[in-house]
Amino acid sequence: QVQLVESGGGLVQAGGSLRLSCAASGRTFSSYAMGWFRQAPGKEREFVAAISWSGDSTHYVNSVKGRFTISRDGTKNTVYLQMNSLKPEDTAVYYCAATHWSVTTMRSRYDYWGQGTQVTVSS
């Protein structure tokens, strides 16, 4: 089965940056798209960013546009989320996910999920 493992989370001051990584292992498919979601305490899991299997199409939630960048390294089966100008409201557990669908923001269309990595942004 496919396993996704996030890394790179931690504590950062407001205005700082973090780069999250998600490494895939086990069986993988060349046609999958990847996404990042996040969940803060007491809130629903929300879409953050997604990228197509080829890397030629990306999508972001409005609140992170201009600050976050999603990318992928097909050779290493790894997806990244570069987070700049972080705000306290970005604090959440961040999850990466994979789907056989084309790039999508819908949580229900993702087939595989990582365990999550904590991102905490202080004032």
Side-chain angles (χ1 to χ4, degrees):
Q1 60 183 15
V2 175
Q3 294 183 343
L4 303 175
V5 180
E6 302 96 335
S7 62
L11 175 65
V12 65
Q13 291 182 306
S17 299
L18 283 174
R19 189 191 193 197
L20 305 183
S21 299
C22 176
S25 62
R27 194 179 73 182
T28 59
F29 302 95
S30 62
S31 61
Y32 64 87
M34 301 290 293
W36 286 96
F37 292 76
R38 66 187 180 186
Q39 187 166 22
K43 299 181 65 177
E44 296 181 350
R45 190 184 308 169
E46 68 171 344
F47 167 80
V48 177
I51 188 168
S52 64
W53 68 269
S54 64
D56 63 351
S57 180
T58 60
H59 195 78
Y60 301 90
V61 66
N62 286 339
S63 61
V64 308
K65 287 182 178 178
R67 300 190 298 120
F68 291 10
T69 302
I70 188 171
S71 62
R72 66 187 301 162
D73 183 337
T75 302
K76 298 181 179 180
N77 290 318
T78 302
V79 63
Y80 305 95
L81 185 67
Q82 178 66 48
M83 305 185 295
N84 298 327
S85 301
L86 283 162
K87 304 175 181 179
E89 49 264 46
D90 295 318
T91 296
V93 176
Y94 283 70
Y95 301 88
C96 69
T99 178
H100 290 97
W101 287 73
S102 58
V103 61
T104 177
T105 65
M106 297 182 65
R107 179 176 55 181
S108 63
R109 293 179 179 172
Y110 285 83
D111 305 302
Y112 305 100
W113 294 83
Q115 82 288 353
T117 185
Q118 177 71 48
V119 172
T120 302
V121 184
S122 63
S123 300

